[in-house]
Amino acid sequence: MKIVTVFIALLFYSCIEPFELDSGNNSNALVVDGLITDAPGPHQLILSRTDNFLTNTSAPEVLEANATVEIVSESGEAELLTETSPGTYETSSSFRGITGAGYVLNITLENGNRYKSSTEFMPNETEIDSLIITYEQRELLNDNNVVLPVNGMIVTARSRI
């Protein structure tokens, strides 16, 4: 039996110093949003672009249309996704991932730019026997070496591994 315990702190502090956000230069980066599981498809991926969130505009989301999107298994089988609406791509209804198998995502944009993911492995299923959530208060040391009380939850999951 495997037991995993996690403490999730519920921090509610007020800001007393200005927070300078380093936004970097990530405006217009490609975003791939989707989930592939071992359930029957279709599975959906959405291709979009980031925007500079420091601007005061409420521009609509920029979707990446007319791309070629393909999922390739480690055994070499390829699933070509179909664009169902601008920026939205779906697998066939018969496509389903295999737990433990590795997959690579290949994307070719309309402008010819190509992207290839590293191999990602679909995790094996784990059946959780029990889930216990308890409330707890702990003490944490902040950056100024001051001990502060922190409210949180302890989540314990037990599985049959």
mmCIF file of all heavy atoms in Angstrom, residues 56-108:
data_model
loop_
_atom_site.group_PDB
_atom_site.id
_atom_site.type_symbol
_atom_site.label_atom_id
_atom_site.label_comp_id
_atom_site.label_asym_id
_atom_site.label_seq_id
_atom_site.Cartn_x
_atom_site.Cartn_y
_atom_site.Cartn_z
ATOM 1 N N ASN A 56 -3.693 47.460 -21.105
ATOM 2 C CA ASN A 56 -5.049 47.677 -20.608
ATOM 3 C C ASN A 56 -6.104 47.329 -21.646
ATOM 4 O O ASN A 56 -7.218 47.826 -21.590
ATOM 5 C CB ASN A 56 -5.220 49.133 -20.160
ATOM 6 C CG ASN A 56 -4.422 49.420 -18.905
ATOM 7 O OD1 ASN A 56 -4.251 48.536 -18.078
ATOM 8 N ND2 ASN A 56 -3.940 50.632 -18.767
ATOM 9 N N THR A 57 -5.756 46.499 -22.591
ATOM 10 C CA THR A 57 -6.729 46.117 -23.609
ATOM 11 C C THR A 57 -7.361 44.787 -23.236
ATOM 12 O O THR A 57 -6.777 43.991 -22.513
ATOM 13 C CB THR A 57 -6.069 45.982 -24.991
ATOM 14 O OG1 THR A 57 -5.099 44.937 -24.931
ATOM 15 C CG2 THR A 57 -5.402 47.290 -25.415
ATOM 16 N N SER A 58 -8.534 44.562 -23.724
ATOM 17 C CA SER A 58 -9.178 43.262 -23.515
ATOM 18 C C SER A 58 -9.355 42.613 -24.888
ATOM 19 O O SER A 58 -10.462 42.348 -25.335
ATOM 20 C CB SER A 58 -10.515 43.426 -22.806
ATOM 21 O OG SER A 58 -11.342 44.288 -23.557
ATOM 22 N N ALA A 59 -8.220 42.387 -25.533
ATOM 23 C CA ALA A 59 -8.233 41.797 -26.869
ATOM 24 C C ALA A 59 -8.728 40.365 -26.794
ATOM 25 O O ALA A 59 -8.493 39.664 -25.810
ATOM 26 C CB ALA A 59 -6.833 41.836 -27.465
ATOM 27 N N PRO A 60 -9.422 39.911 -27.832
ATOM 28 C CA PRO A 60 -9.879 38.522 -27.833
ATOM 29 C C PRO A 60 -8.691 37.568 -27.918
ATOM 30 O O PRO A 60 -7.613 37.946 -28.362
ATOM 31 C CB PRO A 60 -10.752 38.436 -29.090
ATOM 32 C CG PRO A 60 -10.306 39.558 -29.945
ATOM 33 C CD PRO A 60 -9.792 40.629 -29.029
ATOM 34 N N GLU A 61 -8.907 36.360 -27.459
ATOM 35 C CA GLU A 61 -7.862 35.344 -27.500
ATOM 36 C C GLU A 61 -7.436 35.110 -28.951
ATOM 37 O O GLU A 61 -8.267 35.025 -29.852
ATOM 38 C CB GLU A 61 -8.403 34.038 -26.902
ATOM 39 C CG GLU A 61 -7.376 32.940 -26.850
ATOM 40 C CD GLU A 61 -7.923 31.677 -26.206
ATOM 41 O OE1 GLU A 61 -9.130 31.415 -26.318
ATOM 42 O OE2 GLU A 61 -7.125 30.958 -25.611
ATOM 43 N N VAL A 62 -6.120 35.043 -29.168
ATOM 44 C CA VAL A 62 -5.599 34.793 -30.506
ATOM 45 C C VAL A 62 -5.434 33.295 -30.678
ATOM 46 O O VAL A 62 -4.615 32.672 -29.999
ATOM 47 C CB VAL A 62 -4.247 35.520 -30.718
ATOM 48 C CG1 VAL A 62 -3.689 35.210 -32.094
ATOM 49 C CG2 VAL A 62 -4.410 37.011 -30.512
ATOM 50 N N LEU A 63 -6.234 32.711 -31.556
ATOM 51 C CA LEU A 63 -6.191 31.271 -31.796
ATOM 52 C C LEU A 63 -5.322 30.981 -33.008
ATOM 53 O O LEU A 63 -5.268 31.758 -33.953
ATOM 54 C CB LEU A 63 -7.605 30.732 -31.997
ATOM 55 C CG LEU A 63 -8.517 30.911 -30.782
ATOM 56 C CD1 LEU A 63 -9.943 30.550 -31.135
ATOM 57 C CD2 LEU A 63 -8.023 30.086 -29.612
ATOM 58 N N GLU A 64 -4.632 29.855 -32.975
ATOM 59 C CA GLU A 64 -3.719 29.463 -34.034
ATOM 60 C C GLU A 64 -4.437 28.476 -34.966
ATOM 61 O O GLU A 64 -4.551 27.290 -34.676
ATOM 62 C CB GLU A 64 -2.480 28.832 -33.406
ATOM 63 C CG GLU A 64 -1.255 28.802 -34.230
ATOM 64 C CD GLU A 64 -0.743 30.134 -34.734
ATOM 65 O OE1 GLU A 64 -0.382 31.006 -33.927
ATOM 66 O OE2 GLU A 64 -0.694 30.296 -35.961
ATOM 67 N N ALA A 65 -4.960 29.013 -36.080
ATOM 68 C CA ALA A 65 -5.737 28.211 -37.027
ATOM 69 C C ALA A 65 -4.842 27.638 -38.132
ATOM 70 O O ALA A 65 -3.706 28.072 -38.315
ATOM 71 C CB ALA A 65 -6.840 29.064 -37.639
ATOM 72 N N ASN A 66 -5.395 26.677 -38.843
ATOM 73 C CA ASN A 66 -4.761 26.079 -40.032
ATOM 74 C C ASN A 66 -3.419 25.425 -39.741
ATOM 75 O O ASN A 66 -2.519 25.448 -40.574
ATOM 76 C CB ASN A 66 -4.619 27.109 -41.149
ATOM 77 C CG ASN A 66 -5.946 27.723 -41.518
ATOM 78 O OD1 ASN A 66 -6.944 27.019 -41.646
ATOM 79 N ND2 ASN A 66 -5.976 29.033 -41.661
ATOM 80 N N ALA A 67 -3.264 24.848 -38.572
ATOM 81 C CA ALA A 67 -2.034 24.139 -38.215
ATOM 82 C C ALA A 67 -2.212 22.651 -38.498
ATOM 83 O O ALA A 67 -3.331 22.153 -38.634
ATOM 84 C CB ALA A 67 -1.714 24.357 -36.735
ATOM 85 N N THR A 68 -1.104 21.969 -38.581
ATOM 86 C CA THR A 68 -1.116 20.512 -38.658
ATOM 87 C C THR A 68 -0.683 20.005 -37.289
ATOM 88 O O THR A 68 0.403 20.348 -36.817
ATOM 89 C CB THR A 68 -0.147 20.005 -39.739
ATOM 90 O OG1 THR A 68 -0.526 20.572 -40.990
ATOM 91 C CG2 THR A 68 -0.174 18.493 -39.831
ATOM 92 N N VAL A 69 -1.535 19.220 -36.651
ATOM 93 C CA VAL A 69 -1.270 18.731 -35.292
ATOM 94 C C VAL A 69 -1.333 17.209 -35.326
ATOM 95 O O VAL A 69 -2.299 16.626 -35.824
ATOM 96 C CB VAL A 69 -2.306 19.289 -34.290
ATOM 97 C CG1 VAL A 69 -2.007 18.798 -32.882
ATOM 98 C CG2 VAL A 69 -2.333 20.811 -34.324
ATOM 99 N N GLU A 70 -0.292 16.581 -34.781
ATOM 100 C CA GLU A 70 -0.176 15.127 -34.846
ATOM 101 C C GLU A 70 0.378 14.601 -33.527
ATOM 102 O O GLU A 70 1.298 15.179 -32.957
ATOM 103 C CB GLU A 70 0.777 14.784 -36.003
ATOM 104 C CG GLU A 70 1.063 13.339 -36.194
ATOM 105 C CD GLU A 70 2.060 13.135 -37.325
ATOM 106 O OE1 GLU A 70 3.150 13.748 -37.283
ATOM 107 O OE2 GLU A 70 1.749 12.369 -38.230
ATOM 108 N N ILE A 71 -0.191 13.498 -33.064
ATOM 109 C CA ILE A 71 0.304 12.795 -31.885
ATOM 110 C C ILE A 71 0.932 11.500 -32.380
ATOM 111 O O ILE A 71 0.278 10.720 -33.096
ATOM 112 C CB ILE A 71 -0.831 12.477 -30.898
ATOM 113 C CG1 ILE A 71 -1.491 13.766 -30.412
ATOM 114 C CG2 ILE A 71 -0.309 11.656 -29.723
ATOM 115 C CD1 ILE A 71 -2.771 13.551 -29.636
ATOM 116 N N VAL A 72 2.203 11.269 -32.015
ATOM 117 C CA VAL A 72 2.913 10.074 -32.469
ATOM 118 C C VAL A 72 3.298 9.248 -31.253
ATOM 119 O O VAL A 72 3.932 9.756 -30.325
ATOM 120 C CB VAL A 72 4.168 10.441 -33.287
ATOM 121 C CG1 VAL A 72 4.873 9.183 -33.782
ATOM 122 C CG2 VAL A 72 3.806 11.345 -34.461
ATOM 123 N N SER A 73 2.913 7.966 -31.270
ATOM 124 C CA SER A 73 3.254 7.077 -30.155
ATOM 125 C C SER A 73 4.689 6.597 -30.308
ATOM 126 O O SER A 73 5.282 6.676 -31.390
ATOM 127 C CB SER A 73 2.307 5.877 -30.113
ATOM 128 O OG SER A 73 2.577 5.014 -31.199
ATOM 129 N N GLU A 74 5.253 6.071 -29.234
ATOM 130 C CA GLU A 74 6.620 5.571 -29.276
ATOM 131 C C GLU A 74 6.759 4.376 -30.221
ATOM 132 O O GLU A 74 7.852 4.085 -30.692
ATOM 133 C CB GLU A 74 7.105 5.216 -27.871
ATOM 134 C CG GLU A 74 6.293 4.142 -27.178
ATOM 135 C CD GLU A 74 6.677 3.977 -25.718
ATOM 136 O OE1 GLU A 74 7.736 4.502 -25.287
ATOM 137 O OE2 GLU A 74 5.925 3.320 -24.998
ATOM 138 N N SER A 75 5.648 3.730 -30.543
ATOM 139 C CA SER A 75 5.682 2.618 -31.501
ATOM 140 C C SER A 75 5.566 3.108 -32.941
ATOM 141 O O SER A 75 5.574 2.305 -33.868
ATOM 142 C CB SER A 75 4.567 1.612 -31.188
ATOM 143 O OG SER A 75 3.303 2.235 -31.353
ATOM 144 N N GLY A 76 5.426 4.447 -33.126
ATOM 145 C CA GLY A 76 5.393 5.005 -34.469
ATOM 146 C C GLY A 76 4.009 5.253 -35.043
ATOM 147 O O GLY A 76 3.889 5.766 -36.153
ATOM 148 N N GLU A 77 2.956 4.899 -34.288
ATOM 149 C CA GLU A 77 1.600 5.159 -34.775
ATOM 150 C C GLU A 77 1.297 6.646 -34.645
ATOM 151 O O GLU A 77 1.578 7.257 -33.625
ATOM 152 C CB GLU A 77 0.588 4.344 -33.967
ATOM 153 C CG GLU A 77 0.747 2.845 -34.131
ATOM 154 C CD GLU A 77 -0.211 2.073 -33.251
ATOM 155 O OE1 GLU A 77 -1.325 2.589 -32.990
ATOM 156 O OE2 GLU A 77 0.164 0.989 -32.794
ATOM 157 N N ALA A 78 0.699 7.214 -35.714
ATOM 158 C CA ALA A 78 0.425 8.654 -35.719
ATOM 159 C C ALA A 78 -1.071 8.908 -35.782
ATOM 160 O O ALA A 78 -1.802 8.220 -36.502
ATOM 161 C CB ALA A 78 1.120 9.310 -36.904
ATOM 162 N N GLU A 79 -1.512 9.900 -35.021
ATOM 163 C CA GLU A 79 -2.908 10.336 -35.022
ATOM 164 C C GLU A 79 -2.911 11.793 -35.470
ATOM 165 O O GLU A 79 -2.411 12.677 -34.776
ATOM 166 C CB GLU A 79 -3.510 10.211 -33.627
ATOM 167 C CG GLU A 79 -4.885 10.800 -33.471
ATOM 168 C CD GLU A 79 -6.003 9.965 -34.100
ATOM 169 O OE1 GLU A 79 -5.754 8.789 -34.460
ATOM 170 O OE2 GLU A 79 -7.122 10.483 -34.202
ATOM 171 N N LEU A 80 -3.469 12.053 -36.650
ATOM 172 C CA LEU A 80 -3.575 13.406 -37.181
ATOM 173 C C LEU A 80 -4.864 14.018 -36.667
ATOM 174 O O LEU A 80 -5.947 13.471 -36.861
ATOM 175 C CB LEU A 80 -3.562 13.376 -38.707
ATOM 176 C CG LEU A 80 -3.553 14.727 -39.409
ATOM 177 C CD1 LEU A 80 -2.286 15.498 -39.060
ATOM 178 C CD2 LEU A 80 -3.645 14.519 -40.914
ATOM 179 N N LEU A 81 -4.761 15.162 -35.998
ATOM 180 C CA LEU A 81 -5.941 15.808 -35.436
ATOM 181 C C LEU A 81 -6.621 16.671 -36.496
ATOM 182 O O LEU A 81 -5.974 17.186 -37.398
ATOM 183 C CB LEU A 81 -5.560 16.667 -34.230
ATOM 184 C CG LEU A 81 -5.318 15.883 -32.923
ATOM 185 C CD1 LEU A 81 -4.078 15.047 -32.962
ATOM 186 C CD2 LEU A 81 -5.275 16.837 -31.755
ATOM 187 N N THR A 82 -7.928 16.801 -36.371
ATOM 188 C CA THR A 82 -8.743 17.572 -37.303
ATOM 189 C C THR A 82 -9.107 18.906 -36.664
ATOM 190 O O THR A 82 -9.516 18.944 -35.506
ATOM 191 C CB THR A 82 -10.033 16.796 -37.644
ATOM 192 O OG1 THR A 82 -9.676 15.527 -38.170
ATOM 193 C CG2 THR A 82 -10.886 17.547 -38.641
ATOM 194 N N GLU A 83 -9.013 19.988 -37.441
ATOM 195 C CA GLU A 83 -9.411 21.298 -36.933
ATOM 196 C C GLU A 83 -10.925 21.398 -37.012
ATOM 197 O O GLU A 83 -11.499 21.357 -38.088
ATOM 198 C CB GLU A 83 -8.752 22.427 -37.730
ATOM 199 C CG GLU A 83 -8.988 23.785 -37.130
ATOM 200 C CD GLU A 83 -8.137 24.869 -37.769
ATOM 201 O OE1 GLU A 83 -7.563 24.644 -38.844
ATOM 202 O OE2 GLU A 83 -8.060 25.954 -37.162
ATOM 203 N N THR A 84 -11.574 21.509 -35.860
ATOM 204 C CA THR A 84 -13.041 21.551 -35.814
ATOM 205 C C THR A 84 -13.574 22.977 -35.780
ATOM 206 O O THR A 84 -14.734 23.206 -36.117
ATOM 207 C CB THR A 84 -13.567 20.778 -34.588
ATOM 208 O OG1 THR A 84 -12.981 21.341 -33.407
ATOM 209 C CG2 THR A 84 -13.216 19.298 -34.701
ATOM 210 N N SER A 85 -12.755 23.919 -35.335
ATOM 211 C CA SER A 85 -13.040 25.350 -35.391
ATOM 212 C C SER A 85 -11.679 26.027 -35.295
ATOM 213 O O SER A 85 -10.699 25.383 -34.918
ATOM 214 C CB SER A 85 -13.980 25.782 -34.262
ATOM 215 O OG SER A 85 -13.386 25.584 -33.008
ATOM 216 N N PRO A 86 -11.564 27.308 -35.632
ATOM 217 C CA PRO A 86 -10.242 27.942 -35.622
ATOM 218 C C PRO A 86 -9.510 27.756 -34.295
ATOM 219 O O PRO A 86 -10.006 28.131 -33.237
ATOM 220 C CB PRO A 86 -10.563 29.419 -35.884
ATOM 221 C CG PRO A 86 -11.842 29.386 -36.657
ATOM 222 C CD PRO A 86 -12.617 28.231 -36.073
ATOM 223 N N GLY A 87 -8.345 27.099 -34.365
ATOM 224 C CA GLY A 87 -7.516 26.879 -33.192
ATOM 225 C C GLY A 87 -7.872 25.663 -32.359
ATOM 226 O O GLY A 87 -7.163 25.326 -31.430
ATOM 227 N N THR A 88 -8.959 24.974 -32.689
ATOM 228 C CA THR A 88 -9.389 23.798 -31.928
ATOM 229 C C THR A 88 -9.187 22.549 -32.783
ATOM 230 O O THR A 88 -9.698 22.463 -33.900
ATOM 231 C CB THR A 88 -10.867 23.918 -31.520
ATOM 232 O OG1 THR A 88 -11.024 25.104 -30.736
ATOM 233 C CG2 THR A 88 -11.315 22.715 -30.710
ATOM 234 N N TYR A 89 -8.462 21.576 -32.240
ATOM 235 C CA TYR A 89 -8.099 20.361 -32.976
ATOM 236 C C TYR A 89 -8.536 19.152 -32.161
ATOM 237 O O TYR A 89 -8.387 19.137 -30.946
ATOM 238 C CB TYR A 89 -6.582 20.337 -33.215
ATOM 239 C CG TYR A 89 -6.125 21.546 -33.993
ATOM 240 C CD1 TYR A 89 -5.843 22.746 -33.344
ATOM 241 C CD2 TYR A 89 -6.020 21.513 -35.376
ATOM 242 C CE1 TYR A 89 -5.458 23.877 -34.048
ATOM 243 C CE2 TYR A 89 -5.638 22.631 -36.099
ATOM 244 C CZ TYR A 89 -5.354 23.812 -35.423
ATOM 245 O OH TYR A 89 -4.986 24.931 -36.133
ATOM 246 N N GLU A 90 -9.066 18.135 -32.850
ATOM 247 C CA GLU A 90 -9.561 16.942 -32.158
ATOM 248 C C GLU A 90 -9.018 15.667 -32.778
ATOM 249 O O GLU A 90 -8.828 15.586 -33.986
ATOM 250 C CB GLU A 90 -11.086 16.896 -32.200
ATOM 251 C CG GLU A 90 -11.750 17.916 -31.318
ATOM 252 C CD GLU A 90 -13.259 17.746 -31.237
ATOM 253 O OE1 GLU A 90 -13.817 16.886 -31.965
ATOM 254 O OE2 GLU A 90 -13.881 18.467 -30.442
ATOM 255 N N THR A 91 -8.847 14.660 -31.899
ATOM 256 C CA THR A 91 -8.499 13.322 -32.366
ATOM 257 C C THR A 91 -9.762 12.664 -32.891
ATOM 258 O O THR A 91 -10.869 13.152 -32.683
ATOM 259 C CB THR A 91 -7.937 12.461 -31.212
ATOM 260 O OG1 THR A 91 -8.974 12.248 -30.250
ATOM 261 C CG2 THR A 91 -6.727 13.097 -30.558
ATOM 262 N N SER A 92 -9.603 11.526 -33.516
ATOM 263 C CA SER A 92 -10.767 10.735 -33.920
ATOM 264 C C SER A 92 -11.416 10.156 -32.681
ATOM 265 O O SER A 92 -10.805 10.084 -31.613
ATOM 266 C CB SER A 92 -10.340 9.613 -34.865
ATOM 267 O OG SER A 92 -9.496 8.709 -34.180
ATOM 268 N N SER A 93 -12.655 9.729 -32.808
ATOM 269 C CA SER A 93 -13.361 9.162 -31.654
ATOM 270 C C SER A 93 -12.764 7.822 -31.230
ATOM 271 O O SER A 93 -12.941 7.395 -30.095
ATOM 272 C CB SER A 93 -14.851 9.015 -31.956
ATOM 273 O OG SER A 93 -15.029 8.183 -33.080
ATOM 274 N N SER A 94 -12.031 7.162 -32.116
ATOM 275 C CA SER A 94 -11.446 5.864 -31.773
ATOM 276 C C SER A 94 -10.087 5.998 -31.083
ATOM 277 O O SER A 94 -9.565 5.031 -30.545
ATOM 278 C CB SER A 94 -11.292 5.013 -33.032
ATOM 279 O OG SER A 94 -10.407 5.648 -33.947
ATOM 280 N N PHE A 95 -9.508 7.210 -31.071
ATOM 281 C CA PHE A 95 -8.192 7.385 -30.458
ATOM 282 C C PHE A 95 -8.298 7.378 -28.942
ATOM 283 O O PHE A 95 -9.145 8.037 -28.363
ATOM 284 C CB PHE A 95 -7.549 8.707 -30.902
ATOM 285 C CG PHE A 95 -6.200 8.930 -30.266
ATOM 286 C CD1 PHE A 95 -5.077 8.321 -30.775
ATOM 287 C CD2 PHE A 95 -6.071 9.731 -29.142
ATOM 288 C CE1 PHE A 95 -3.835 8.515 -30.192
ATOM 289 C CE2 PHE A 95 -4.837 9.933 -28.547
ATOM 290 C CZ PHE A 95 -3.721 9.327 -29.072
ATOM 291 N N ARG A 96 -7.423 6.604 -28.324
ATOM 292 C CA ARG A 96 -7.296 6.604 -26.867
ATOM 293 C C ARG A 96 -5.846 6.295 -26.527
ATOM 294 O O ARG A 96 -5.195 5.490 -27.180
ATOM 295 C CB ARG A 96 -8.260 5.629 -26.216
ATOM 296 C CG ARG A 96 -8.054 4.190 -26.562
ATOM 297 C CD ARG A 96 -9.127 3.218 -26.116
ATOM 298 N NE ARG A 96 -9.578 3.396 -24.776
ATOM 299 C CZ ARG A 96 -10.697 2.887 -24.298
ATOM 300 N NH1 ARG A 96 -11.469 2.155 -25.079
ATOM 301 N NH2 ARG A 96 -11.053 3.084 -23.056
ATOM 302 N N GLY A 97 -5.348 6.972 -25.504
ATOM 303 C CA GLY A 97 -3.983 6.734 -25.079
ATOM 304 C C GLY A 97 -3.848 5.400 -24.370
ATOM 305 O O GLY A 97 -4.839 4.809 -23.935
ATOM 306 N N ILE A 98 -2.637 4.941 -24.267
ATOM 307 C CA ILE A 98 -2.351 3.674 -23.584
ATOM 308 C C ILE A 98 -1.483 4.000 -22.377
ATOM 309 O O ILE A 98 -0.427 4.634 -22.513
ATOM 310 C CB ILE A 98 -1.623 2.691 -24.522
ATOM 311 C CG1 ILE A 98 -2.499 2.377 -25.733
ATOM 312 C CG2 ILE A 98 -1.220 1.430 -23.778
ATOM 313 C CD1 ILE A 98 -1.799 1.587 -26.819
ATOM 314 N N THR A 99 -1.936 3.594 -21.194
ATOM 315 C CA THR A 99 -1.164 3.889 -19.990
ATOM 316 C C THR A 99 0.216 3.258 -20.091
ATOM 317 O O THR A 99 0.375 2.147 -20.580
ATOM 318 C CB THR A 99 -1.883 3.386 -18.712
ATOM 319 O OG1 THR A 99 -2.130 1.997 -18.842
ATOM 320 C CG2 THR A 99 -3.179 4.116 -18.485
ATOM 321 N N GLY A 100 1.214 4.035 -19.672
ATOM 322 C CA GLY A 100 2.597 3.584 -19.729
ATOM 323 C C GLY A 100 3.288 3.878 -21.052
ATOM 324 O O GLY A 100 4.510 3.794 -21.139
ATOM 325 N N ALA A 101 2.540 4.218 -22.092
ATOM 326 C CA ALA A 101 3.123 4.480 -23.414
ATOM 327 C C ALA A 101 3.589 5.932 -23.509
ATOM 328 O O ALA A 101 3.058 6.814 -22.850
ATOM 329 C CB ALA A 101 2.105 4.183 -24.506
ATOM 330 N N GLY A 102 4.574 6.153 -24.387
ATOM 331 C CA GLY A 102 5.107 7.489 -24.607
ATOM 332 C C GLY A 102 4.534 8.108 -25.870
ATOM 333 O O GLY A 102 4.281 7.408 -26.859
ATOM 334 N N TYR A 103 4.335 9.423 -25.828
ATOM 335 C CA TYR A 103 3.752 10.151 -26.959
ATOM 336 C C TYR A 103 4.513 11.453 -27.198
ATOM 337 O O TYR A 103 4.991 12.085 -26.262
ATOM 338 C CB TYR A 103 2.279 10.475 -26.695
ATOM 339 C CG TYR A 103 1.432 9.245 -26.590
ATOM 340 C CD1 TYR A 103 1.218 8.644 -25.355
ATOM 341 C CD2 TYR A 103 0.873 8.665 -27.729
ATOM 342 C CE1 TYR A 103 0.453 7.489 -25.253
ATOM 343 C CE2 TYR A 103 0.108 7.517 -27.628
ATOM 344 C CZ TYR A 103 -0.095 6.928 -26.388
ATOM 345 O OH TYR A 103 -0.847 5.790 -26.298
ATOM 346 N N VAL A 104 4.585 11.842 -28.479
ATOM 347 C CA VAL A 104 5.200 13.101 -28.890
ATOM 348 C C VAL A 104 4.149 13.888 -29.648
ATOM 349 O O VAL A 104 3.404 13.330 -30.459
ATOM 350 C CB VAL A 104 6.435 12.850 -29.783
ATOM 351 C CG1 VAL A 104 6.950 14.145 -30.391
ATOM 352 C CG2 VAL A 104 7.530 12.159 -28.991
ATOM 353 N N LEU A 105 4.092 15.190 -29.395
ATOM 354 C CA LEU A 105 3.167 16.069 -30.097
ATOM 355 C C LEU A 105 3.958 16.864 -31.127
ATOM 356 O O LEU A 105 4.945 17.522 -30.788
ATOM 357 C CB LEU A 105 2.484 17.021 -29.103
ATOM 358 C CG LEU A 105 1.499 18.023 -29.677
ATOM 359 C CD1 LEU A 105 0.297 17.313 -30.298
ATOM 360 C CD2 LEU A 105 1.045 18.994 -28.603
ATOM 361 N N ASN A 106 3.549 16.786 -32.395
ATOM 362 C CA ASN A 106 4.163 17.543 -33.481
ATOM 363 C C ASN A 106 3.169 18.583 -33.968
ATOM 364 O O ASN A 106 2.018 18.246 -34.258
ATOM 365 C CB ASN A 106 4.533 16.635 -34.655
ATOM 366 C CG ASN A 106 5.625 15.652 -34.306
ATOM 367 O OD1 ASN A 106 6.603 15.998 -33.656
ATOM 368 N ND2 ASN A 106 5.463 14.412 -34.723
ATOM 369 N N ILE A 107 3.611 19.832 -34.069
ATOM 370 C CA ILE A 107 2.753 20.916 -34.543
ATOM 371 C C ILE A 107 3.494 21.662 -35.643
ATOM 372 O O ILE A 107 4.663 22.046 -35.466
ATOM 373 C CB ILE A 107 2.405 21.894 -33.405
ATOM 374 C CG1 ILE A 107 1.669 21.158 -32.282
ATOM 375 C CG2 ILE A 107 1.606 23.074 -33.938
ATOM 376 C CD1 ILE A 107 1.476 22.003 -31.033
ATOM 377 N N THR A 108 2.824 21.851 -36.775
ATOM 378 C CA THR A 108 3.345 22.699 -37.839
ATOM 379 C C THR A 108 2.325 23.795 -38.072
ATOM 380 O O THR A 108 1.174 23.514 -38.420
ATOM 381 C CB THR A 108 3.577 21.901 -39.140
ATOM 382 O OG1 THR A 108 4.453 20.800 -38.866
ATOM 383 C CG2 THR A 108 4.204 22.795 -40.211
#
